[in-house]
Amino acid sequence: MKALKKIVIVLLATAAILTAVFLAGRYGWKLGGFRACQSAGISSVEVNEQSVYITGFCPGLFPKGFCGYYAEEKDGKLYVGFRFSAVFGFFETGDFIVTIPVKGKISEVVVKTKMNEYSIWNAQTGPSFPSERYGVYVKQESKDEYSVTMSYTGLSGEASSTDCTAMDSGEYCFMDNDIMIASKEANAPVPFTITVKDADGNVTASKVFSFDAGMEKMYLTVTADGRIVKDSKDE
């Protein structure tokens, strides 16, 4: 009898632990706010006086289940972030339909993550769904550097402070998404080189990194003291 009681206690404890882990994975991420949010593919946006209605999907290469959204309303703008997890991909799809209640009049709806944000609806222009871009993003802290070049086998891309407004303002500039395709086709990480030059064409910094399709995005920063460092991933 005592052995049976111990077995029941162990089973109940195991069930409680598994339930706690499940709930933490499903809802606990919200404690991190937008820092825990990820990019999402958006299919439609509808805005009325009481709520904002959004449908979308997980744009990643691998099956991930939708965990929920995190939203904040500020100065007429609704900022919203989404979260997906491979753990829930086995029994839930990445597709989602959410209705977000609002208190005031909304002039713009913005998807926000730890690394960036982009508008998906504006009161004047209506919905706008920017295509999701996977690959390498770079920002530079110094205004003295002129260009940042990314190169790997057979392909290269360049962004300069004169033709990339985002980089000129110290924000992330998208470099390339062909490396995502290359890594997926090779089923392996692809090495690439980031090279920084000044206005005279002199190389001021250069470093080799490796991109794997599983990470979907990589964020790099050219620091003010000439280093090239990898930033935290957008997850």
Side-chain angles (χ1 to χ4, degrees), residues 70-88:
Y70 180 84
E72 290 183 0
E73 186 177 341
K74 184 178 180 180
D75 299 329
K77 293 184 179 181
L78 177 67
Y79 295 90
V80 58
F82 304 95
R83 179 74 181 181
F84 305 90
S85 173
V87 175
F88 303 103

Side-chain angles (χ1 to χ4, degrees), residues 150-231:
M150 170 183 170
S151 61
Y152 55 101
T153 306
L155 296 167
S156 65
E158 179 173 327
S160 73
S161 58
T162 57
D163 60 20
C164 183
T165 303
M167 186 168 290
D168 189 37
S169 61
E171 298 177 2
Y172 287 101
C173 181
F174 179 70
M175 297 293 294
D176 166 90
N177 63 358
D178 288 335
I179 197 169
M180 163 66 83
I181 299 172
S183 177
K184 184 179 178 182
E185 291 178 346
N187 195 29
V190 175
F192 67 94
T193 302
I194 290 290
T195 303
V196 184
K197 298 180 181 179
D198 61 20
D200 297 324
N202 300 312
V203 175
T204 58
S206 182
K207 189 171 182 179
V208 177
F209 293 88
S210 185
F211 183 89
D212 186 275
M215 67 176 60
E216 299 179 352
K217 298 177 183 179
M218 178 184 286
Y219 294 91
L220 304 175
T221 294
V222 181
T223 66
D225 58 358
R227 294 177 298 117
I228 307 174
V229 298
K230 181 180 176 182
D231 300 334

